[in-house]
Amino acid sequence: MNNKLISTNGLWYKLKRFLKKLFLRKENYKKNSLQNSTSEYSNNNYTFHSNIKEEFAKDNIRKQLAEKLLYGEINISELTETQVDQMIEYFNKDIQYIDSELSIIKKNIISMKQKLNKY
């Protein structure tokens, strides 16, 4: 083996260095963009989960308050105006849900009755 210095100012080495830098930049860009997108996703996912947890906690409190009102444990005069508005909204939604369930049951009963009349 000869201990010669290799000249790095030739065309071949300049081209090789340029292409290496170009490809390394693309790989680093891909890695950085992937890391940024995953960090943004995890941040969005965290805020999404925290928002859902807050909503479930609020709904749970409303449900407990509504049950206390139904069973007479508390009186409506003990509630604030915002709580009264929330309870009105809660009971309106509950009534609509019960009405939709009853209409489904009614349709099922009518269809069973019609099937029995055919026989």
Side-chain angles (χ1 to χ4, degrees):
M1 236 194 215
N2 296 337
N3 290 335
K4 290 184 182 178
L5 291 176
I6 301 172
S7 73
T8 57
N9 61 353
L11 180 63
W12 174 250
Y13 286 103
K14 287 180 182 180
L15 185 62
K16 188 176 177 181
R17 217 176 325 144
F18 172 76
L19 292 175
K20 190 183 278 187
K21 285 181 184 178
L22 182 68
F23 287 117
L24 287 177
R25 249 189 245 150
K26 283 185 180 180
E27 288 177 11
N28 288 336
Y29 177 75
K30 287 179 185 178
K31 288 178 185 177
N32 289 339
S33 65
L34 181 62
Q35 288 173 352
N36 289 340
S37 65
T38 56
S39 66
E40 287 175 11
Y41 173 74
S42 63
N43 288 341
N44 290 341
N45 200 13
Y46 174 74
T47 56
F48 178 70
H49 286 302
S50 64
N51 289 341
I52 288 177
K53 286 179 182 179
E54 289 173 6
E55 284 297 317
F56 278 126
K58 288 178 184 178
D59 287 341
N60 194 16
I61 291 170
R62 287 184 198 131
K63 186 176 179 180
Q64 289 173 355
L65 190 59
E67 287 176 357
K68 287 180 181 178
L69 278 171
L70 281 174
Y71 297 128
E73 295 175 12
I74 60 173
N75 197 357
I76 196 148
S77 61
E78 298 173 16
L79 300 177
T80 64
E81 287 186 33
T82 56
Q83 288 176 333
V84 171
D85 292 338
Q86 289 175 353
M87 289 298 102
I88 290 171
E89 183 181 332
Y90 177 83
F91 285 118
N92 282 336
K93 286 182 181 178
D94 194 41
I95 289 169
Q96 289 175 353
Y97 176 75
I98 292 171
D99 283 342
S100 65
E101 289 293 317
L102 287 175
S103 66
I104 291 171
I105 292 170
K106 182 180 176 182
K107 288 178 185 177
N108 287 338
I109 291 173
I110 290 172
S111 68
M112 286 191 290
K113 186 176 180 181
Q114 288 175 348
K115 286 180 183 178
L116 286 175
N117 287 339
K118 286 182 182 179
Y119 296 116

